[in-house]
Amino acid sequence: MRNYPNRRAVMAGAGAFGVLAGRSASAKTYGPGVTDSEIKLGTTSPYSGPASAYGVYGHAQTAYFQMINEQGGINGRKINLISLDNGYSPPKALEQTRKLVEEDNVLAIAGFLGTAPNTSVQKYLNGKKVPNLFLTSGADRFNDPKTYPWIVPLYPTYVGQGEIYARFILTRHPDAKIGVLYINDDLGKDFLLGLKKGLGDRAKTMIVREVSNELTDPSVDSQIIDLKGSGADALVQFTTSKFAAQGIRKAYDLGWRPKVHILASVASAIGGTLIPAGVERSKGVITARWEKHPTDPTTVGDPDVVEYLAFAKKYMPNLNIEDNTAVPGYINSVMISRVLRACGDELTRENVLKQATSLKDAVAPMLLPGITLTNTPDDYLAFHAMQLAQFDGAKFVALGDVIRLDAARKA
């Protein structure tokens, strides 16, 4: 393997979750970065900078492919995954992605985490006709196959989540006075849009205050003081883990006990948010989920969880297992492996895109029962259901059954 300065590189291949696809008897067809023995992929991750806590997602990708490599590769080929630091900086993400495409000649980008960095590479990758496979962001802008056919998301939509939170508030707390903290980017704005859509005509009266924060802000203490002062009795935080933890802590320390406290799914990790905020302060917070949590006592014997824990112990020994940020990186890698396996010997960018946008009730490890992945070339939205859950001081407890996103939007 080549030595890449400031890079994390791993050779890897397909694993036990791949959908079997026999090799074609016809001639092999290869795109960039593919040989009889190798498939080269690239990605970036925030290993440094203000969102470095999310770097664990990138570590999960490289660890997963390292594991699969030891199992023999995908259809006899190893995966050379080159993972670069993007610092969660859009300009740096674009610069590093250009290197991967133009210098390293990768077949595809193994979709990375983050709305802002993925936005920065969207036009570039689409113009180069390089698949961005299963990126982790729920921003609606990434589900646009007509304009950006090479950009393939794999994450529940933020707008859809916001609508589900709204319906919960309307059902359980119809007289709530809502204060909203949102991060001032596409992530926060999409969540807020969904909340307002779900509240409908009542949004203007029920939302009594909206305040935003920037990723570079040192804290959100002043915003929480502002929201408490507005008379809000419901607190909704559509921001990242660091600020969500600060918000929980500050509200509690101010003596503010909202009757409903909602966290965006991206900031609901027990290890990444609730433990830093304090589990006593975090009791009662509500979020949406679609993944199993590896330390949930109710799933301790679940085969997916057992396998994930074994993977983490061997390949990510320094992982805080409470930090669920690694789980979507794991799922991302599983699904990319399936796509590559399904391509057989036709390893072109066009066929990779075709396989990635033809999912039909795919069952991925670590997803909650009843949640499968389906997309089409005309609609890349793969997640169509999720579940609301509430933190009881030790774990998240389901609030009802799995909710269909499509049904929530029509209701």
Side-chain angles (χ1 to χ4, degrees):
M1 192 188 317
R2 283 166 43 202
N3 216 0
Y4 295 96
N6 301 317
R7 301 184 182 197
R8 302 168 189 268
V10 64
M11 295 288 294
F17 306 114
V19 176
L20 294 177
R23 288 196 177 192
S24 168
S26 61
K28 300 171 184 177
T29 308
Y30 293 162
V34 182
T35 69
D36 284 349
S37 61
E38 178 182 279
I39 303 171
K40 191 184 295 184
L41 302 175
T43 193
T44 70
S45 195
Y47 297 120
S48 66
S52 59
Y54 289 121
V56 69
Y57 177 100
H59 290 301
Q61 288 181 303
T62 55
Y64 181 84
F65 286 122
Q66 180 184 351
M67 177 189 72
I68 317 265
N69 176 59
E70 295 178 5
Q71 298 175 359
I74 296 178
N75 295 334
R77 301 176 183 89
K78 303 296 178 64
I79 302 300
N80 181 357
L81 176 68
I82 305 168
S83 186
L84 309 183
D85 182 18
N86 65 31
Y88 210 79
S89 162
K92 189 171 183 181
L94 178 58
E95 175 191 356
Q96 298 286 52
T97 300
R98 284 182 181 274
K99 287 181 181 178
L100 292 168
V101 172
E102 298 172 18
E103 296 179 20
D104 296 308
N105 207 32
V106 299
L107 174 68
I109 297 298
F112 49 92
L113 175 148
T115 299
N118 271 290
T119 298
S120 73
V121 304
Q122 185 174 16
K123 289 183 179 179
Y124 171 74
L125 289 174
N126 193 72
K128 289 286 186 179
K129 297 185 178 181
V130 178
N132 188 359
L133 290 179
F134 302 144
L135 67 94
T136 293
S137 169
D140 272 11
R141 66 177 296 135
F142 298 121
N143 181 21
D144 187 1
K146 192 170 289 186
T147 309
Y148 297 103
W150 296 90
I151 309 302
V152 188
L154 190 75
Y155 204 75
T157 165
Y158 297 148
V159 173
Q161 289 181 58
E163 291 180 84
I164 285 177
Y165 296 140
R167 295 199 61 77
F168 174 82
I169 294 172
L170 287 171
T171 301
R172 300 284 189 94
H173 305 281
D175 60 344
K177 293 177 286 186
I178 305 168
V180 182
L181 170 67
Y182 68 97
I183 193 163
N184 188 28
D185 63 12
D186 284 348
L187 183 152
K189 292 174 183 177
D190 271 12
F191 270 113
L192 181 57
L193 173 62
L195 180 70
K196 290 180 176 179
K197 285 180 67 176
L199 293 174
D201 293 340
R202 299 198 59 193
K204 292 179 181 178
T205 56
M206 292 186 73
I207 299 176
V208 297
R209 186 77 170 132
E210 301 170 19
V211 295
S212 65
N213 74 278
E214 304 293 334
L215 184 64
T216 53
D217 287 348
S219 81
V220 293
D221 286 0
S222 62
Q223 287 94 325
I224 296 299
I225 292 170
D226 186 350
L227 291 172
K228 181 178 184 294
S230 73
D233 56 15
L235 175 58
V236 177
Q237 293 191 88
F238 294 148
T239 189
T240 56
S241 291
K242 169 187 171 181
F243 301 112
Q246 291 177 353
I248 293 169
R249 188 164 53 243
K250 188 62 178 179
Y252 188 92
D253 293 349
L254 287 171
W256 186 20
R257 304 291 186 270
K259 59 186 178 183
V260 58
H261 189 166
I262 289 173
L263 295 185
S265 58
V266 298
S268 63
I270 293 175
T273 300
L274 306 188
I275 289 177
V279 292
E280 184 62 34
R281 296 183 180 98
S282 302
K283 279 185 180 178
V285 298
I286 294 167
T287 193
R289 64 177 185 176
W290 47 92
E291 299 161 348
K292 299 168 185 174
H293 196 286
T295 62
D296 187 338
T298 65
T299 59
V300 66
D302 184 280
D304 284 357
V305 174
V306 171
E307 193 159 9
Y308 175 80
L309 290 174
F311 154 78
K313 182 178 181 180
K314 183 174 182 179
Y315 295 98
M316 301 183 71
N318 297 321
L319 174 68
N320 173 8
I321 203 65
E322 289 281 4
D323 187 354
N324 230 33
T325 308
V327 173
Y330 177 83
I331 294 171
N332 165 280
S333 303
V334 169
M335 296 306 296
I336 289 174
S337 296
R338 289 185 177 184
V339 164
L340 295 176
R341 185 171 292 239
C343 285
D345 286 334
E346 189 183 344
L347 283 160
T348 63
R349 288 171 173 169
E350 291 77 12
N351 195 34
V352 166
L353 180 65
K354 177 183 176 182
Q355 301 300 330
T357 58
S358 304
L359 304 179
K360 178 63 176 176
D361 294 326
V363 178
M366 295 300 287
L367 293 185
L368 294 174
I371 297 181
T372 59
L373 305 175
T374 297
N375 63 13
T376 70
D378 297 318
D379 185 358
Y380 288 175
L381 180 64
F383 278 90
H384 301 274
M386 63 183 65
Q387 184 182 65
L388 290 178
Q390 188 168 37
F391 186 63
D392 69 359
K395 63 185 182 303
F396 276 103
V397 179
L399 292 175
D401 297 328
V402 166
I403 302 167
R404 295 290 301 176
L405 281 170
D406 306 325
R409 289 189 165 191
K410 293 174 183 175

PDB file of all heavy atoms in Angstrom, residues 74-103:
ATOM      1  N   ILE A  74     -13.844  -8.374  -1.971  1.00  0.00           N
ATOM      2  CA  ILE A  74     -15.123  -8.406  -2.690  1.00  0.00           C
ATOM      3  C   ILE A  74     -14.902  -8.999  -4.072  1.00  0.00           C
ATOM      4  O   ILE A  74     -14.190  -8.425  -4.890  1.00  0.00           O
ATOM      5  CB  ILE A  74     -15.711  -6.991  -2.802  1.00  0.00           C
ATOM      6  CG1 ILE A  74     -16.026  -6.456  -1.415  1.00  0.00           C
ATOM      7  CG2 ILE A  74     -16.947  -6.987  -3.695  1.00  0.00           C
ATOM      8  CD1 ILE A  74     -16.555  -5.055  -1.396  1.00  0.00           C
ATOM      9  N   ASN A  75     -15.495 -10.133  -4.294  1.00  0.00           N
ATOM     10  CA  ASN A  75     -15.320 -10.833  -5.574  1.00  0.00           C
ATOM     11  C   ASN A  75     -13.839 -10.972  -5.933  1.00  0.00           C
ATOM     12  O   ASN A  75     -13.432 -10.806  -7.080  1.00  0.00           O
ATOM     13  CB  ASN A  75     -16.072 -10.108  -6.698  1.00  0.00           C
ATOM     14  CG  ASN A  75     -17.575 -10.122  -6.486  1.00  0.00           C
ATOM     15  OD1 ASN A  75     -18.104 -11.016  -5.827  1.00  0.00           O
ATOM     16  ND2 ASN A  75     -18.267  -9.132  -7.038  1.00  0.00           N
ATOM     17  N   GLY A  76     -13.022 -11.257  -4.926  1.00  0.00           N
ATOM     18  CA  GLY A  76     -11.598 -11.477  -5.136  1.00  0.00           C
ATOM     19  C   GLY A  76     -10.750 -10.227  -5.152  1.00  0.00           C
ATOM     20  O   GLY A  76      -9.537 -10.304  -5.341  1.00  0.00           O
ATOM     21  N   ARG A  77     -11.361  -9.060  -4.956  1.00  0.00           N
ATOM     22  CA  ARG A  77     -10.607  -7.802  -4.981  1.00  0.00           C
ATOM     23  C   ARG A  77     -10.596  -7.167  -3.592  1.00  0.00           C
ATOM     24  O   ARG A  77     -11.589  -7.211  -2.881  1.00  0.00           O
ATOM     25  CB  ARG A  77     -11.215  -6.812  -5.983  1.00  0.00           C
ATOM     26  CG  ARG A  77     -11.261  -7.336  -7.412  1.00  0.00           C
ATOM     27  CD  ARG A  77     -11.960  -6.341  -8.328  1.00  0.00           C
ATOM     28  NE  ARG A  77     -12.067  -6.888  -9.677  1.00  0.00           N
ATOM     29  CZ  ARG A  77     -13.086  -7.627 -10.102  1.00  0.00           C
ATOM     30  NH1 ARG A  77     -14.096  -7.897  -9.280  1.00  0.00           N
ATOM     31  NH2 ARG A  77     -13.113  -8.086 -11.335  1.00  0.00           N
ATOM     32  N   LYS A  78      -9.495  -6.538  -3.250  1.00  0.00           N
ATOM     33  CA  LYS A  78      -9.397  -5.790  -2.004  1.00  0.00           C
ATOM     34  C   LYS A  78      -9.826  -4.343  -2.254  1.00  0.00           C
ATOM     35  O   LYS A  78      -9.735  -3.837  -3.367  1.00  0.00           O
ATOM     36  CB  LYS A  78      -7.963  -5.830  -1.472  1.00  0.00           C
ATOM     37  CG  LYS A  78      -7.419  -7.238  -1.247  1.00  0.00           C
ATOM     38  CD  LYS A  78      -8.185  -7.975  -0.172  1.00  0.00           C
ATOM     39  CE  LYS A  78      -7.665  -9.397   0.004  1.00  0.00           C
ATOM     40  NZ  LYS A  78      -6.275  -9.453   0.471  1.00  0.00           N
ATOM     41  N   ILE A  79     -10.279  -3.711  -1.181  1.00  0.00           N
ATOM     42  CA  ILE A  79     -10.666  -2.301  -1.264  1.00  0.00           C
ATOM     43  C   ILE A  79      -9.544  -1.453  -0.672  1.00  0.00           C
ATOM     44  O   ILE A  79      -9.135  -1.658   0.457  1.00  0.00           O
ATOM     45  CB  ILE A  79     -11.963  -2.019  -0.489  1.00  0.00           C
ATOM     46  CG1 ILE A  79     -13.106  -2.867  -1.009  1.00  0.00           C
ATOM     47  CG2 ILE A  79     -12.318  -0.533  -0.576  1.00  0.00           C
ATOM     48  CD1 ILE A  79     -13.428  -2.632  -2.460  1.00  0.00           C
ATOM     49  N   ASN A  80      -9.058  -0.523  -1.464  1.00  0.00           N
ATOM     50  CA  ASN A  80      -8.075   0.447  -0.988  1.00  0.00           C
ATOM     51  C   ASN A  80      -8.843   1.738  -0.701  1.00  0.00           C
ATOM     52  O   ASN A  80      -9.128   2.520  -1.599  1.00  0.00           O
ATOM     53  CB  ASN A  80      -7.010   0.680  -2.061  1.00  0.00           C
ATOM     54  CG  ASN A  80      -5.941   1.654  -1.612  1.00  0.00           C
ATOM     55  OD1 ASN A  80      -6.006   2.202  -0.516  1.00  0.00           O
ATOM     56  ND2 ASN A  80      -4.958   1.871  -2.463  1.00  0.00           N
ATOM     57  N   LEU A  81      -9.198   1.916   0.563  1.00  0.00           N
ATOM     58  CA  LEU A  81      -9.942   3.118   0.967  1.00  0.00           C
ATOM     59  C   LEU A  81      -8.966   4.170   1.463  1.00  0.00           C
ATOM     60  O   LEU A  81      -8.245   3.949   2.436  1.00  0.00           O
ATOM     61  CB  LEU A  81     -10.947   2.790   2.060  1.00  0.00           C
ATOM     62  CG  LEU A  81     -11.711   4.004   2.625  1.00  0.00           C
ATOM     63  CD1 LEU A  81     -12.657   4.589   1.579  1.00  0.00           C
ATOM     64  CD2 LEU A  81     -12.477   3.628   3.883  1.00  0.00           C
ATOM     65  N   ILE A  82      -8.954   5.327   0.807  1.00  0.00           N
ATOM     66  CA  ILE A  82      -8.098   6.443   1.204  1.00  0.00           C
ATOM     67  C   ILE A  82      -8.994   7.456   1.918  1.00  0.00           C
ATOM     68  O   ILE A  82      -9.910   8.022   1.323  1.00  0.00           O
ATOM     69  CB  ILE A  82      -7.435   7.097  -0.012  1.00  0.00           C
ATOM     70  CG1 ILE A  82      -6.666   6.051  -0.822  1.00  0.00           C
ATOM     71  CG2 ILE A  82      -6.507   8.223   0.437  1.00  0.00           C
ATOM     72  CD1 ILE A  82      -6.230   6.553  -2.180  1.00  0.00           C
ATOM     73  N   SER A  83      -8.753   7.657   3.207  1.00  0.00           N
ATOM     74  CA  SER A  83      -9.589   8.539   4.017  1.00  0.00           C
ATOM     75  C   SER A  83      -8.772   9.742   4.478  1.00  0.00           C
ATOM     76  O   SER A  83      -7.788   9.590   5.211  1.00  0.00           O
ATOM     77  CB  SER A  83     -10.147   7.783   5.224  1.00  0.00           C
ATOM     78  OG  SER A  83     -11.055   8.574   5.951  1.00  0.00           O
ATOM     79  N   LEU A  84      -9.172  10.930   4.053  1.00  0.00           N
ATOM     80  CA  LEU A  84      -8.433  12.163   4.340  1.00  0.00           C
ATOM     81  C   LEU A  84      -9.178  13.033   5.341  1.00  0.00           C
ATOM     82  O   LEU A  84     -10.399  12.969   5.460  1.00  0.00           O
ATOM     83  CB  LEU A  84      -8.231  12.962   3.047  1.00  0.00           C
ATOM     84  CG  LEU A  84      -7.656  12.214   1.845  1.00  0.00           C
ATOM     85  CD1 LEU A  84      -7.447  13.185   0.690  1.00  0.00           C
ATOM     86  CD2 LEU A  84      -6.360  11.520   2.209  1.00  0.00           C
ATOM     87  N   ASP A  85      -8.448  13.870   6.017  1.00  0.00           N
ATOM     88  CA  ASP A  85      -9.020  14.790   6.999  1.00  0.00           C
ATOM     89  C   ASP A  85      -9.640  15.993   6.291  1.00  0.00           C
ATOM     90  O   ASP A  85      -8.977  16.661   5.498  1.00  0.00           O
ATOM     91  CB  ASP A  85      -7.923  15.258   7.953  1.00  0.00           C
ATOM     92  CG  ASP A  85      -8.441  16.185   9.038  1.00  0.00           C
ATOM     93  OD1 ASP A  85      -9.665  16.209   9.273  1.00  0.00           O
ATOM     94  OD2 ASP A  85      -7.609  16.886   9.653  1.00  0.00           O
ATOM     95  N   ASN A  86     -10.919  16.276   6.578  1.00  0.00           N
ATOM     96  CA  ASN A  86     -11.530  17.481   6.009  1.00  0.00           C
ATOM     97  C   ASN A  86     -11.744  18.584   7.050  1.00  0.00           C
ATOM     98  O   ASN A  86     -12.203  19.684   6.700  1.00  0.00           O
ATOM     99  CB  ASN A  86     -12.842  17.168   5.280  1.00  0.00           C
ATOM    100  CG  ASN A  86     -13.947  16.656   6.200  1.00  0.00           C
ATOM    101  OD1 ASN A  86     -14.025  17.024   7.368  1.00  0.00           O
ATOM    102  ND2 ASN A  86     -14.820  15.806   5.656  1.00  0.00           N
ATOM    103  N   GLY A  87     -11.442  18.298   8.331  1.00  0.00           N
ATOM    104  CA  GLY A  87     -11.571  19.319   9.356  1.00  0.00           C
ATOM    105  C   GLY A  87     -12.970  19.886   9.497  1.00  0.00           C
ATOM    106  O   GLY A  87     -13.161  20.910  10.141  1.00  0.00           O
ATOM    107  N   TYR A  88     -13.943  19.242   8.893  1.00  0.00           N
ATOM    108  CA  TYR A  88     -15.327  19.736   8.788  1.00  0.00           C
ATOM    109  C   TYR A  88     -15.353  21.143   8.177  1.00  0.00           C
ATOM    110  O   TYR A  88     -16.199  21.974   8.472  1.00  0.00           O
ATOM    111  CB  TYR A  88     -16.049  19.738  10.140  1.00  0.00           C
ATOM    112  CG  TYR A  88     -17.542  19.534   9.986  1.00  0.00           C
ATOM    113  CD1 TYR A  88     -18.068  18.265   9.779  1.00  0.00           C
ATOM    114  CD2 TYR A  88     -18.418  20.617  10.031  1.00  0.00           C
ATOM    115  CE1 TYR A  88     -19.431  18.076   9.616  1.00  0.00           C
ATOM    116  CE2 TYR A  88     -19.782  20.430   9.874  1.00  0.00           C
ATOM    117  CZ  TYR A  88     -20.282  19.161   9.668  1.00  0.00           C
ATOM    118  OH  TYR A  88     -21.628  18.974   9.496  1.00  0.00           O
ATOM    119  N   SER A  89     -14.403  21.376   7.297  1.00  0.00           N
ATOM    120  CA  SER A  89     -14.306  22.650   6.578  1.00  0.00           C
ATOM    121  C   SER A  89     -14.722  22.421   5.131  1.00  0.00           C
ATOM    122  O   SER A  89     -14.091  21.609   4.433  1.00  0.00           O
ATOM    123  CB  SER A  89     -12.872  23.171   6.623  1.00  0.00           C
ATOM    124  OG  SER A  89     -12.650  24.137   5.623  1.00  0.00           O
ATOM    125  N   PRO A  90     -15.760  23.088   4.641  1.00  0.00           N
ATOM    126  CA  PRO A  90     -16.183  22.878   3.255  1.00  0.00           C
ATOM    127  C   PRO A  90     -15.061  23.085   2.235  1.00  0.00           C
ATOM    128  O   PRO A  90     -14.895  22.242   1.345  1.00  0.00           O
ATOM    129  CB  PRO A  90     -17.320  23.886   3.081  1.00  0.00           C
ATOM    130  CG  PRO A  90     -17.921  23.987   4.452  1.00  0.00           C
ATOM    131  CD  PRO A  90     -16.738  23.931   5.379  1.00  0.00           C
ATOM    132  N   PRO A  91     -14.260  24.164   2.320  1.00  0.00           N
ATOM    133  CA  PRO A  91     -13.173  24.309   1.334  1.00  0.00           C
ATOM    134  C   PRO A  91     -12.167  23.162   1.403  1.00  0.00           C
ATOM    135  O   PRO A  91     -11.687  22.685   0.375  1.00  0.00           O
ATOM    136  CB  PRO A  91     -12.526  25.645   1.713  1.00  0.00           C
ATOM    137  CG  PRO A  91     -13.586  26.401   2.432  1.00  0.00           C
ATOM    138  CD  PRO A  91     -14.352  25.367   3.188  1.00  0.00           C
ATOM    139  N   LYS A  92     -11.860  22.713   2.615  1.00  0.00           N
ATOM    140  CA  LYS A  92     -10.896  21.622   2.745  1.00  0.00           C
ATOM    141  C   LYS A  92     -11.493  20.316   2.226  1.00  0.00           C
ATOM    142  O   LYS A  92     -10.805  19.507   1.608  1.00  0.00           O
ATOM    143  CB  LYS A  92     -10.456  21.467   4.197  1.00  0.00           C
ATOM    144  CG  LYS A  92      -9.298  20.491   4.366  1.00  0.00           C
ATOM    145  CD  LYS A  92      -8.739  20.508   5.771  1.00  0.00           C
ATOM    146  CE  LYS A  92      -7.534  19.588   5.900  1.00  0.00           C
ATOM    147  NZ  LYS A  92      -6.986  19.570   7.267  1.00  0.00           N
ATOM    148  N   ALA A  93     -12.789  20.103   2.484  1.00  0.00           N
ATOM    149  CA  ALA A  93     -13.447  18.894   1.977  1.00  0.00           C
ATOM    150  C   ALA A  93     -13.384  18.847   0.454  1.00  0.00           C
ATOM    151  O   ALA A  93     -13.122  17.791  -0.144  1.00  0.00           O
ATOM    152  CB  ALA A  93     -14.898  18.847   2.455  1.00  0.00           C
ATOM    153  N   LEU A  94     -13.609  19.998  -0.179  1.00  0.00           N
ATOM    154  CA  LEU A  94     -13.539  20.060  -1.637  1.00  0.00           C
ATOM    155  C   LEU A  94     -12.114  19.819  -2.126  1.00  0.00           C
ATOM    156  O   LEU A  94     -11.888  19.055  -3.086  1.00  0.00           O
ATOM    157  CB  LEU A  94     -14.048  21.416  -2.129  1.00  0.00           C
ATOM    158  CG  LEU A  94     -13.989  21.646  -3.641  1.00  0.00           C
ATOM    159  CD1 LEU A  94     -14.777  20.576  -4.398  1.00  0.00           C
ATOM    160  CD2 LEU A  94     -14.529  23.044  -3.986  1.00  0.00           C
ATOM    161  N   GLU A  95     -11.145  20.447  -1.474  1.00  0.00           N
ATOM    162  CA  GLU A  95      -9.744  20.269  -1.867  1.00  0.00           C
ATOM    163  C   GLU A  95      -9.330  18.795  -1.756  1.00  0.00           C
ATOM    164  O   GLU A  95      -8.702  18.241  -2.680  1.00  0.00           O
ATOM    165  CB  GLU A  95      -8.851  21.123  -0.964  1.00  0.00           C
ATOM    166  CG  GLU A  95      -7.365  20.921  -1.208  1.00  0.00           C
ATOM    167  CD  GLU A  95      -6.513  21.575  -0.132  1.00  0.00           C
ATOM    168  OE1 GLU A  95      -7.068  22.251   0.763  1.00  0.00           O
ATOM    169  OE2 GLU A  95      -5.286  21.382  -0.177  1.00  0.00           O
ATOM    170  N   GLN A  96      -9.665  18.167  -0.658  1.00  0.00           N
ATOM    171  CA  GLN A  96      -9.279  16.769  -0.457  1.00  0.00           C
ATOM    172  C   GLN A  96     -10.008  15.836  -1.423  1.00  0.00           C
ATOM    173  O   GLN A  96      -9.440  14.846  -1.901  1.00  0.00           O
ATOM    174  CB  GLN A  96      -9.574  16.351   0.994  1.00  0.00           C
ATOM    175  CG  GLN A  96      -8.808  17.134   2.055  1.00  0.00           C
ATOM    176  CD  GLN A  96      -7.338  16.747   2.127  1.00  0.00           C
ATOM    177  OE1 GLN A  96      -6.635  16.735   1.114  1.00  0.00           O
ATOM    178  NE2 GLN A  96      -6.876  16.428   3.324  1.00  0.00           N
ATOM    179  N   THR A  97     -11.263  16.158  -1.718  1.00  0.00           N
ATOM    180  CA  THR A  97     -12.025  15.333  -2.654  1.00  0.00           C
ATOM    181  C   THR A  97     -11.444  15.447  -4.060  1.00  0.00           C
ATOM    182  O   THR A  97     -11.387  14.459  -4.805  1.00  0.00           O
ATOM    183  CB  THR A  97     -13.512  15.736  -2.638  1.00  0.00           C
ATOM    184  OG1 THR A  97     -14.020  15.550  -1.309  1.00  0.00           O
ATOM    185  CG2 THR A  97     -14.322  14.897  -3.603  1.00  0.00           C
ATOM    186  N   ARG A  98     -11.014  16.646  -4.442  1.00  0.00           N
ATOM    187  CA  ARG A  98     -10.344  16.814  -5.748  1.00  0.00           C
ATOM    188  C   ARG A  98      -9.098  15.927  -5.823  1.00  0.00           C
ATOM    189  O   ARG A  98      -8.818  15.304  -6.851  1.00  0.00           O
ATOM    190  CB  ARG A  98      -9.955  18.279  -5.949  1.00  0.00           C
ATOM    191  CG  ARG A  98     -11.103  19.209  -6.311  1.00  0.00           C
ATOM    192  CD  ARG A  98     -10.579  20.611  -6.536  1.00  0.00           C
ATOM    193  NE  ARG A  98     -11.619  21.553  -6.860  1.00  0.00           N
ATOM    194  CZ  ARG A  98     -12.090  21.772  -8.088  1.00  0.00           C
ATOM    195  NH1 ARG A  98     -11.579  21.106  -9.113  1.00  0.00           N
ATOM    196  NH2 ARG A  98     -13.040  22.660  -8.294  1.00  0.00           N
ATOM    197  N   LYS A  99      -8.338  15.875  -4.740  1.00  0.00           N
ATOM    198  CA  LYS A  99      -7.145  15.027  -4.718  1.00  0.00           C
ATOM    199  C   LYS A  99      -7.517  13.568  -4.950  1.00  0.00           C
ATOM    200  O   LYS A  99      -6.858  12.855  -5.710  1.00  0.00           O
ATOM    201  CB  LYS A  99      -6.427  15.168  -3.376  1.00  0.00           C
ATOM    202  CG  LYS A  99      -5.689  16.480  -3.174  1.00  0.00           C
ATOM    203  CD  LYS A  99      -5.001  16.483  -1.819  1.00  0.00           C
ATOM    204  CE  LYS A  99      -4.276  17.805  -1.571  1.00  0.00           C
ATOM    205  NZ  LYS A  99      -3.637  17.834  -0.227  1.00  0.00           N
ATOM    206  N   LEU A 100      -8.562  13.136  -4.277  1.00  0.00           N
ATOM    207  CA  LEU A 100      -8.973  11.746  -4.391  1.00  0.00           C
ATOM    208  C   LEU A 100      -9.383  11.398  -5.823  1.00  0.00           C
ATOM    209  O   LEU A 100      -9.059  10.324  -6.330  1.00  0.00           O
ATOM    210  CB  LEU A 100     -10.141  11.467  -3.437  1.00  0.00           C
ATOM    211  CG  LEU A 100      -9.806  11.515  -1.951  1.00  0.00           C
ATOM    212  CD1 LEU A 100     -11.088  11.524  -1.110  1.00  0.00           C
ATOM    213  CD2 LEU A 100      -8.924  10.340  -1.559  1.00  0.00           C
ATOM    214  N   VAL A 101     -10.088  12.314  -6.468  1.00  0.00           N
ATOM    215  CA  VAL A 101     -10.591  12.060  -7.819  1.00  0.00           C
ATOM    216  C   VAL A 101      -9.502  12.255  -8.866  1.00  0.00           C
ATOM    217  O   VAL A 101      -9.307  11.411  -9.751  1.00  0.00           O
ATOM    218  CB  VAL A 101     -11.807  12.963  -8.118  1.00  0.00           C
ATOM    219  CG1 VAL A 101     -12.229  12.849  -9.584  1.00  0.00           C
ATOM    220  CG2 VAL A 101     -12.969  12.611  -7.198  1.00  0.00           C
ATOM    221  N   GLU A 102      -8.765  13.353  -8.773  1.00  0.00           N
ATOM    222  CA  GLU A 102      -7.842  13.728  -9.848  1.00  0.00           C
ATOM    223  C   GLU A 102      -6.429  13.172  -9.681  1.00  0.00           C
ATOM    224  O   GLU A 102      -5.740  12.955 -10.675  1.00  0.00           O
ATOM    225  CB  GLU A 102      -7.801  15.257  -9.962  1.00  0.00           C
ATOM    226  CG  GLU A 102      -9.155  15.850 -10.326  1.00  0.00           C
ATOM    227  CD  GLU A 102      -9.196  17.366 -10.261  1.00  0.00           C
ATOM    228  OE1 GLU A 102      -8.109  17.991 -10.272  1.00  0.00           O
ATOM    229  OE2 GLU A 102     -10.306  17.930 -10.195  1.00  0.00           O
ATOM    230  N   GLU A 103      -6.003  12.942  -8.446  1.00  0.00           N
ATOM    231  CA  GLU A 103      -4.665  12.417  -8.224  1.00  0.00           C
ATOM    232  C   GLU A 103      -4.678  10.920  -7.909  1.00  0.00           C
ATOM    233  O   GLU A 103      -3.874  10.159  -8.444  1.00  0.00           O
ATOM    234  CB  GLU A 103      -3.965  13.185  -7.097  1.00  0.00           C
ATOM    235  CG  GLU A 103      -3.724  14.658  -7.419  1.00  0.00           C
ATOM    236  CD  GLU A 103      -3.042  15.393  -6.276  1.00  0.00           C
ATOM    237  OE1 GLU A 103      -2.427  14.725  -5.416  1.00  0.00           O
ATOM    238  OE2 GLU A 103      -3.135  16.639  -6.232  1.00  0.00           O
TER     239      GLU A 103
END
